[in-house]
């Protein structure tokens, strides 16, 4: 009787992820690695050494290697989300990383869509600035956000994660975006690696 009184609805051993979730995890990891390869190619070919961004080349190099690292972490997190019981990270920490990745990609994708809407409506720029590459870029991030959302929800359910894990991950996402998009460029400018505006 005592054991049932304190019984939890959380499973003692998490269920195995479904085949669809495993496929999504592999696709998300492949997208992250493929996208990281683009940054590596940029750096190995000195793409920004000449042309309109030449004065930003050093700063772009720092940002490129930073995002290569983040994309590698994103690939690892996606793959670890479908491991039966990851030995590298606790379920709660991996849950925070998954919720953070999902929220960060979601915020970035929604922000990109809002920017596009602003351009189309004439509030910020013009519709002429939107091209097929830009649309593809935004769609790519929307797909990533949806994919990580599926992984996050599946993982959270399988491990019975508490809401605090989701809150911590979601609140951490804007902080990470702020560091990447605002704090690091400010530091790079302070160190003279890019011109100040």
């Amino acid at each position: 009787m005592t054991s049932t009184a304190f019984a939890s609805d959380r499973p003692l051993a998490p269920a195995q992820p479904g085949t669809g979730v495993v496929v999504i995890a592999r696709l998300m990891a492949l997208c992250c690695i493929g996208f990281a390869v683009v940054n590596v190619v940029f750096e190995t070919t000195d793409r920004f050494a000449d042309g309109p961004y030449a004065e930003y080349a050093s700063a772009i190099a720092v940002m490129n290697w930073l995002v290569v690292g983040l994309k590698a972490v994103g690939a690892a997190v996606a793959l670890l989300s479908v491991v039966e019981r990851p030995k590298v990270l606790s379920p709660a920490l991996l849950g925070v990383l998954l919720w953070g990745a999902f929220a960060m990609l979601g915020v970035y994708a929604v922000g990109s869509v809002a920017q596009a809407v602003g351009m189309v409506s004439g509030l910020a720029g013009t519709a002429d600035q939107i091209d097929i590459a830009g649309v593809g870029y935004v769609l790519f991030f929307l797909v990533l956000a949806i994919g990580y959302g599926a992984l996050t929800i599946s993982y959270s359910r399988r491990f019975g994660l508490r809401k605090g894990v989701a809150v911590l991950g979601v609140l951490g996402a804007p902080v990470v975006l702020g560091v990447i998009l605002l704090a690091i460029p400010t530091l790079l400018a302070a160190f003279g690696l890019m011109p100040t505006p």
Side-chain angles (χ1 to χ4, degrees):
M1 176 120 172
T2 305
S3 61
T4 57
F6 294 103
S8 169
D9 58 353
R10 294 183 185 183
L12 295 175
Q16 292 290 327
T19 304
V21 174
V22 173
V23 169
I24 291 170
R26 291 177 180 168
L27 285 173
M28 294 301 100
L30 187 61
C31 286
C32 288
I33 296 302
F35 203 30
V37 167
V38 172
N39 295 97
V40 171
V41 168
F42 284 166
E43 287 310 305
T44 57
T45 60
D46 290 329
R47 178 178 172 96
F48 300 106
D50 300 317
Y53 301 108
E55 61 183 334
Y56 296 92
S58 296
I60 291 172
V62 170
M63 294 300 288
N64 268 330
W65 290 117
L66 173 68
V67 296
V68 165
L70 286 172
K71 290 168 186 174
V73 168
V77 165
L79 293 174
L80 285 172
S81 74
V82 292
V83 172
E84 183 177 346
R85 193 172 284 281
K87 294 178 175 75
V88 181
L89 302 171
S90 71
L93 181 55
L94 186 55
V96 168
L97 292 173
L98 279 164
W99 277 103
F102 168 51
M104 186 168 64
L105 290 165
V107 167
Y108 190 78
V110 168
S112 296
V113 169
Q115 183 182 16
V117 169
M119 291 172 150
V120 169
S121 64
L123 293 174
T126 65
D128 297 339
Q129 294 173 285
I130 299 173
D131 59 11
I132 193 72
V135 171
Y137 183 81
V138 172
L139 288 176
F140 177 74
F141 273 95
L142 283 171
V143 167
L144 280 176
I146 291 166
Y148 272 89
L151 294 178
T152 301
I153 291 167
S154 169
Y155 185 84
S156 296
R157 286 181 180 164
R158 286 191 350 261
F159 282 87
L161 298 181
R162 298 192 170 152
K163 290 181 180 157
V165 170
V167 170
L168 191 57
V170 169
L171 291 179
V175 174
V176 173
L177 269 178
V179 167
I180 294 169
L181 298 176
L182 300 172
I184 292 177
T186 302
L187 280 172
L188 292 172
F191 287 121
L193 295 175
M194 65 185 283
T196 53

